[in-house]
Amino acid sequence: AGLSRSGEPKRTLHMVDPLYLDASGLEDWKNSKEWAGEGAWCEAHNEDFKSQVANRITTASYGCITPELHGDYSTHAIPELHSKHGDFAYVFVDSDVHAYALLREECDLLFDRVAIGGIICFHDFRNQHVDVERVYREMLQGGHYSEIPIDWEPIKKWVSEHGGEKGNNSWQDRKSTRL
């Protein structure tokens, strides 16, 4: 929405997830140690799954974002996308089962690949996935990142006044960090 009002040109949002693999890749993923479970697997088998995801992103951004879905693992995709497109302006980290080793590896890969002033956000921050906050704190302690405080009250109020999140009232605490 902010982009649609700013006169900025269309942006590309690169979305990386094994769920975007083709059918044979999904089958390989299902049999791998990285597989996340039946819930995600079932959705990805829908014939129009990828087009539905892309349409939701395009609609939510008022047509200002063109999504590109990459069926890949983050540790492979981060260097690949960086070599093709340069530094990242925004990264949303939502690592598999949120285990420390993968989170740490992803953040290490991002270290010199996020633009100065770029933003790294973490999903499932301050909930049962304690390793997310652990990696976040380690990044801040390294001195190369600074926290972006978010005042959630006006956001919660706006969402509440505009119909909520279609039944989701679980408001998790989310944090961002900036290079």
Side-chain angles (χ1 to χ4, degrees):
L3 287 174
S4 69
R5 295 185 189 106
S6 68
E8 293 283 332
K10 257 186 147 171
R11 304 290 180 160
T12 301
L13 176 65
H14 296 276
M15 299 172 65
V16 177
D17 198 305
L19 285 175
Y20 307 137
L21 289 165
D22 61 26
S24 63
L26 279 170
E27 193 61 39
D28 290 342
W29 178 49
K30 183 178 181 186
N31 297 309
S32 75
K33 64 181 174 135
E34 290 92 1
W35 185 52
E38 283 297 330
W41 174 250
C42 291
E43 278 189 45
H45 263 296
N46 293 340
E47 208 171 287
D48 59 346
F49 172 70
K50 289 194 279 189
S51 64
Q52 286 179 352
V53 171
N55 287 338
R56 280 188 228 132
I57 298 298
T58 302
T59 301
S61 71
Y62 299 97
C64 293
I65 293 176
T66 301
E68 284 189 25
L69 281 56
H70 304 274
D72 204 346
Y73 298 97
S74 57
T75 54
H76 180 256
I78 290 169
E80 287 280 321
L81 288 169
H82 183 263
S83 71
K84 289 179 185 173
H85 303 286
D87 288 351
F88 303 112
Y90 174 83
V91 179
F92 183 79
V93 178
D94 185 8
S95 300
D96 189 38
V97 294
H98 307 306
Y100 179 82
L102 179 58
L103 281 159
R104 184 76 254 172
E105 185 177 1
E106 289 170 332
C107 290
D108 288 346
L109 284 169
L110 290 168
F111 180 70
D112 283 333
R113 293 180 168 115
V114 177
I116 299 297
I119 296 173
I120 301 173
C121 295
F122 294 88
H123 185 254
D124 288 328
F125 184 86
R126 285 203 180 134
N127 65 16
Q128 74 274 19
H129 301 290
V130 296
D131 286 334
V132 176
E133 186 167 1
R134 177 181 171 194
V135 170
Y136 175 81
R137 293 284 167 222
E138 289 174 0
M139 291 173 69
L140 291 176
Q141 289 168 356
H144 298 284
Y145 299 92
S146 59
E147 186 170 75
I148 303 170
I150 298 172
D151 180 2
W152 283 99
E153 292 314 309
I155 296 167
K156 290 176 184 179
K157 181 180 179 200
W158 187 92
V159 170
S160 175
E161 290 170 357
H162 291 84
E165 291 184 327
K166 296 184 181 174
N168 179 10
N169 60 3
S170 65
W171 286 96
Q172 299 169 0
D173 191 4
R174 296 170 180 92
K175 288 286 182 176
S176 299
T177 189
R178 179 188 315 233
L179 251 176

